Amino acid sequence: SNVTGTLPIANGGTNLSSGFINGTTAVGKILQVVNATNGGNSTANTTNTSFTTAETLGTTITVTKGNKVLFFANGIQWKNTGTNNYNGELRVSLSDGSNTATTNATILQNQNASINVIRMYGTNHAGLLTTASGSGTVTVTATVQFKAENSSENHVYYGDTNTGTSFGYTFMEISV
């Protein structure tokens, strides 16, 4: 009680006027947020067993070098077809031209059936990129990547031909 302004850690606070902590250590604060929609209105398919780019997202974020970028994507549409239990995987790769990081990869399994409709709709992805050190700024881009488990019996399809919003995504710059 009787504390004004920033609440110290010793008094149960974070000792930050804004930002967030990890335990008792200040790890940064959110400097800017960039939101976008309409990702994924292009379409692509692959039988490649290595991750390949389906789409480079049109919105980017420009941040101070050395800061981190937290990325979220919600509602990415894709499907997987095949006949022998082969998986498809989808993820998002973040890059500042020097450093890269990937989000979680979502896996879709065929379960021994030939499937030609969207089997997974609304997948969510999150990742954290530490940008290159130095002075100045850097632009961070995001690419949707996908792969098939078996090139001869498995296809992975990405995107949506509808004109409405396909999915949303967010970039956050975090100070270090």
Side-chain angles (χ1 to χ4, degrees), residues 91-104:
R91 69 183 187 189
V92 179
S93 178
L94 307 171
S95 176
D96 66 2
S98 298
N99 296 348
T100 60
T102 57
T103 68
N104 58 299

Side-chain angles (χ1 to χ4, degrees), residues 5-7 10 20 25 33 36-37 40 45 64 68-69 73 88 96 99 102 105 107 116 132-133 140-141 151 168-169:
T6 302
L7 185 61
F20 57 93
T25 306
V33 177
T37 57
N45 72 77
T64 301
K68 297 180 183 294
V69 173
D96 66 2
N99 296 348
T102 57
I107 299 171
N116 291 307
S133 61
V140 176
T141 59
S151 62
Y169 54 101

Side-chain angles (χ1 to χ4, degrees), residues 3 5-17 21 23-26:
V3 176
T6 302
L7 185 61
I9 292 170
N11 294 73
T14 63
N15 204 34
L16 298 173
S17 58
I21 62 167
T24 58
T25 306

Side-chain angles (χ1 to χ4, degrees), residues 91-151:
R91 69 183 187 189
V92 179
S93 178
L94 307 171
S95 176
D96 66 2
S98 298
N99 296 348
T100 60
T102 57
T103 68
N104 58 299
T106 303
I107 299 171
L108 177 63
Q109 190 174 41
N110 286 321
Q111 301 170 344
N112 288 323
S114 181
I115 301 163
N116 291 307
V117 297
I118 293 174
R119 285 289 310 278
M120 186 170 286
Y121 183 87
T123 61
N124 300 311
H125 305 267
L128 181 67
L129 171 70
T130 300
T131 61
S133 61
S135 60
T137 61
V138 65
T139 299
V140 176
T141 59
T143 57
V144 178
Q145 300 176 331
F146 63 153
K147 72 175 184 173
E149 187 176 64
N150 179 291
S151 62

Side-chain angles (χ1 to χ4, degrees), residues 43-55 76-80 87-93 105-106 143-149 155-159:
T43 58
N45 72 77
T46 189
T47 57
N48 196 336
T49 57
S50 298
F51 277 105
T52 187
T53 296
E55 178 180 26
I76 297 179
Q77 300 174 42
W78 63 294
K79 68 179 179 178
N80 194 27
N87 300 328
E89 292 186 49
L90 184 130
R91 69 183 187 189
V92 179
S93 178
T106 303
T143 57
V144 178
Q145 300 176 331
F146 63 153
K147 72 175 184 173
E149 187 176 64
H155 284 264
V156 182
Y157 298 86
Y158 160 81

